[in-house]
Amino acid sequence: MSSIAEKVVAGDIRTVARLIRDIDDGMPEVREVLKELYPHTGNAYIIGITGSPGVGKSTLVDQMVGHLRQRDKTVGVLAVDPTSPFSGGAILGDRVRMQRHSMDPGVFIRSLATRGHFGGLTQSTRSAIDVLDAMGKDYVLVETVGVGQDEVDVVRSAHTTVIVVIPGMGDDIQAIKAGILEVGDIFLINKSDREGADKTVSDLRLMIEMDQKKYEEGGWKPPILKVEAVFDKGIDEFLEAVDQHAAYLAKTEGGLDFRGNRNKVREELREMVKARLLEEALDRLTKSGEFDRAVELIVEKKIDPYTACEDLVLPVSKQ
Amino acid sequence: MKQQKRRVRVMVAKPGLDGHDRGARIIARAYRDAGFEVVYTGLHQTPEEIVEAAIQEDVDMIGLSSLAGAHNYLFPAVVQLLRERGADDIVVCGGGIIPEDDVEKLKAAGVKAVFTPGTPLDQIVKWVEENVSPRS
């Protein structure tokens, strides 16, 4: 094993931090390290937490870390914030709510920016999860802003996906129901001391019960729980629901092992192949100058973009 | 895993009991607009907490903000802790209400730059661009 992989498995903080940076920056040499780390993965329980901005995800994660530490579990946190589409920069502020854990050696917190790379958020976050898993964390919590398809993919790589909403978000629930609602394993109504919490519970229940048939056939029925993260209320009940979901998963194909479930493996591998093919093909077309030549031809109205695309793609795909 | 240019990562931190972070937030915003990834720690951080967070976040620079007069203790403490952790490749700079006489002392203690009130934001950003390089 390379010294980097050895240090990761031994839990060396600086090595882990730098490796995640290399993954995020797309350094090709990390592939070899990830291959070496793979046999050391598959032990962490991964929880994805998503929901619109301002619903209290970071505060919730902070409380989850506290409660998991009381149970003597070690925790890794990946907190994803959006990259500015204009400057490419990002303000990563989730850590503000979690800094009380920064001196705890059983906790590793890392902020990530979405960076807007296609197929990239999913892949690099997935790889970062593997690194925290390999360093021996019992739980890995992934916090994302639940707004895009990419993020749905990220939470799909979790054992348990938690959707956080707040009272009065009826319309927003409508907006998200087709996307992220379908991937929710547990629904939390945070800030549930506010007016309208019970209405939100019944709105959600209505939607979830539309899938009654699925539950009768033994499918998981997502619980809807009220919490007040900032007052540390309802967190234990929530973590019990996570345990119940884990017990349910343990009885499905592959159990808690992601890479023992054909559908999940198929999905992950497809994403990896897609990203790699795209990268290699685009790289080749850019380096050979074909891509830029096609751009010129389109601008000079000598060719249409559909033909240009075919001319670029067909020779590559035949190889 | 598309290879892209390494992005500069910086941390903006408020050490000590000083409760005013308007300046730190404005700096964070200017850094974001310059294309940096900015980790913000929030208020009331000890030097130990700042250094631990900077290591976990793998930042290239820590920007410390102090308006309450404890900079002579807090800033060098951060530099010293980074050294002890073998992480002194992380550049430390600072800003805030800092008397002229203290600037040289802080620099001697390893703080690479000190920005006092009135320094234009683009000058600070330019300094970072010229003096902090994303790890290669």
Side-chain angles (χ1 to χ4, degrees):
Chain A
M1 214 169 22
S2 69
S3 67
I4 295 179
E6 265 171 24
K7 282 183 183 163
V8 170
V9 173
D12 184 78
I13 305 286
R14 189 123 216 247
T15 310
V16 167
R18 300 196 132 196
L19 180 60
I20 294 177
R21 174 85 171 270
D22 286 345
I23 290 168
D24 218 12
D25 284 341
M27 298 292 137
E29 54 273 21
V30 300
R31 288 186 189 128
E32 290 308 313
V33 182
L34 288 170
K35 284 180 199 170
E36 290 179 326
L37 289 178
Y38 183 71
H40 299 274
T41 63
N43 304 310
Y45 194 84
I46 303 152
I47 306 177
I49 298 103
T50 192
S52 306
V55 296
K57 295 181 294 296
S58 303
T59 306
L60 177 76
V61 168
D62 170 61
Q63 298 290 12
M64 288 171 77
V65 172
H67 283 251
L68 290 169
R69 292 298 293 143
Q70 278 169 21
R71 296 179 176 192
D72 275 330
K73 302 293 183 189
T74 56
V75 190
V77 176
L78 296 171
V80 186
D81 265 332
T83 292
S84 156
F86 300 108
S87 72
I91 293 184
L92 309 171
D94 293 326
R95 213 186 163 93
V96 175
R97 313 261 178 256
M98 310 172 197
Q99 258 304 81
R100 71 180 166 120
H101 301 293
S102 68
M103 295 305 292
D104 180 346
V107 180
F108 181 97
I109 301 169
R110 180 57 170 258
S111 315
L112 297 171
T114 53
R115 294 198 179 182
H117 37 169
F118 39 105
L121 172 66
T122 318
Q123 194 46 49
S124 62
T125 310
R126 179 67 249 182
S127 301
I129 294 170
D130 278 340
V131 172
L132 297 185
D133 186 349
M135 87 182 282
K137 294 293 178 230
D138 297 318
Y139 282 83
V140 177
L141 314 182
V142 185
E143 176 192 335
T144 76
V145 183
V147 283
Q149 186 58 41
D150 253 7
E151 314 234 18
V152 175
D153 293 339
V154 169
V155 293
R156 269 197 193 133
S157 50
H159 291 100
T160 300
T161 297
V162 182
I163 314 284
V164 188
V165 299
I166 50 173
M169 279 186 67
D171 290 344
D172 291 288
I173 292 170
Q174 289 296 328
I176 60 174
K177 70 176 173 184
I180 209 128
L181 209 61
E182 290 167 57
V183 298
D185 298 310
I186 296 175
F187 289 87
L188 287 188
I189 292 125
N190 191 25
K191 312 189 188 182
S192 62
D193 52 328
R194 289 195 184 175
E195 204 185 311
D198 291 327
K199 168 88 167 55
T200 308
V201 171
S202 56
D203 283 353
L204 277 171
R205 185 163 292 143
L206 194 70
M207 261 175 252
I208 284 165
E209 291 189 344
M210 283 180 181
D211 288 328
Q212 196 57 38
K213 196 156 170 283
K214 198 172 89 185
Y215 314 134
E216 281 162 14
E217 288 162 1
W220 171 257
K221 185 173 181 179
I224 304 161
L225 303 170
K226 291 197 280 187
V227 295
E228 293 168 43
V230 79
F231 303 117
D232 198 13
K233 277 192 191 163
I235 309 299
D236 275 324
E237 292 81 352
F238 160 47
L239 289 177
E240 274 163 34
V242 172
D243 289 343
Q244 283 163 14
H245 185 239
Y248 162 81
L249 280 183
K251 286 182 269 171
T252 59
E253 188 202 334
L256 294 178
D257 173 17
F258 273 126
R259 276 93 180 217
N261 178 305
R262 283 185 180 76
N263 282 336
K264 287 190 168 164
V265 169
R266 196 168 284 133
E267 205 172 308
E268 185 186 19
L269 190 59
R270 188 188 299 123
E271 286 305 314
M272 285 174 84
V273 170
K274 201 157 78 179
R276 186 74 184 266
L277 275 178
L278 190 64
E279 175 192 332
E280 307 246 330
L282 267 182
D283 192 50
R284 189 192 301 184
L285 293 172
T286 316
K287 274 187 187 144
S288 69
E290 288 168 83
F291 189 86
D292 285 333
R293 275 199 294 281
V295 170
E296 285 310 310
L297 289 174
I298 296 167
V299 171
E300 290 164 13
K301 311 284 180 213
K302 286 179 182 155
I303 193 171
D304 66 89
Y306 305 98
T307 309
C309 176
E310 260 177 27
D311 290 350
L312 289 175
V313 170
L314 291 181
V316 177
S317 67
K318 273 179 196 142
Q319 282 163 17
Chain B
M1 215 168 282
K2 182 162 172 58
Q3 176 138 18
Q4 48 186 355
K5 214 177 72 186
R6 277 202 188 267
R7 196 119 341 140
V8 177
R9 276 174 77 88
V10 301
M11 172 169 284
V12 173
K14 287 284 305 179
L17 297 176
D18 168 13
H20 300 86
D21 66 346
R22 179 61 62 90
R25 284 164 187 248
I26 288 173
I27 288 285
R29 174 67 194 268
Y31 286 159
R32 186 200 75 177
D33 291 345
F36 308 158
E37 285 181 359
V38 190
V39 180
Y40 180 55
T41 61
L43 297 166
H44 307 143
Q45 300 294 303
T46 65
E48 287 81 2
E49 286 169 336
I50 290 168
V51 166
E52 191 54 46
I55 289 171
Q56 291 186 12
E57 297 286 354
D58 194 32
V59 294
D60 304 302
M61 183 194 91
I62 302 172
L64 297 167
S65 160
S66 169
L67 310 175
H71 50 267
N72 283 335
Y73 166 71
L74 294 165
F75 291 11
V78 169
V79 174
Q80 185 55 34
L81 284 165
L82 284 171
R83 261 181 217 143
E84 284 167 20
R85 297 289 306 269
D88 48 356
D89 52 307
I90 300 175
V91 174
V92 176
C93 72
I97 313 288
I98 293 163
E100 214 39 59
D101 291 350
D102 291 345
V103 173
E104 286 314 309
K105 268 188 271 176
L106 290 173
K107 285 187 176 170
V111 178
K112 285 280 174 341
V114 178
F115 303 105
T116 51
T119 315
L121 282 174
D122 50 5
Q123 192 179 314
I124 300 174
V125 167
K126 192 161 172 271
W127 183 87
V128 177
E129 283 168 343
E130 285 169 1
N131 292 279
V132 177
S133 55
R135 188 165 58 77
S136 52

